[in-house]
Amino acid sequence: MKHCTIILFFLISLNSFSQDSTLINSVINQLNLDKSKIKNDLIISKALPNNAKEIIIVIPEIVDEEEHYFELNSYILIVNNETGKIINTYFESSTTNNWVSDAVVLTKITIDTAPYKISEKNRAFGIRVHYYGMSKANPYSNTTISLFIKSKNTLKRILKNYDVMDYGGEWDTDCIGEFIDHKKTLIITASKTNSYYNILAKNKITKTKNYIDKNNDCDSMEKVTTMKTVLKYNGEEYIEKTLQ
């Protein structure tokens, strides 16, 4: 029975992958994109949890690519997963979207479908972009989120490239060094600005110091603090404000 369950799960997963691939190829054709210019390993899709017939698809289009470098245009779409028809489209060029991979590598893109209920009628979804620094002596990683809502047959971005994770530091690659890690949690509040709920950003800040102790061992100490800011909608997008 266990083996039958595993085989059934594999067949369902394979069928789902095949359906997604067909849908993505249909979307690329509808956009009249050159398939050789698509960054295939960064294509992602995810069903909308509040609408079983719709799926979010992200198509990264290569603008320039060399060894250890690329920059991408971004197509963010909502597609009917039964007909394959594009319902909502958002495009941004590489000159403004920051989808660039160089010394700091763009490692992956993910879709965030947490319940960002920003008004009674609007639920947003997020696109997270993950970066990783290649320097061993100066480690670095970063994740940003952009939020989108439907707007007729397009998508409207209401939050752009907001840092939700940022980690960096400097050390001797053996022990001694200092690091700082910011992790933000976004919480929809009950208060509003310009008809959209404010978003509370709770930032957990961890500072770590590595040192050689009296026994000549590598040890570390941490200091954790928290900071809160609020994101308020100015009529076009969310802007971060310090709490009074």
Side-chain angles (χ1 to χ4, degrees), residues 16 55 240:
S16 176
I55 186 169
E240 187 171 41

Side-chain angles (χ1 to χ4, degrees), residues 117-120 188-192 195-199 238:
K117 188 79 173 175
I118 57 162
S119 72
E120 288 81 359
I188 307 296
T189 71
S191 56
K192 290 183 177 181
S195 301
Y196 282 7
Y197 292 116
N198 297 338
I199 302 174
Y238 276 92

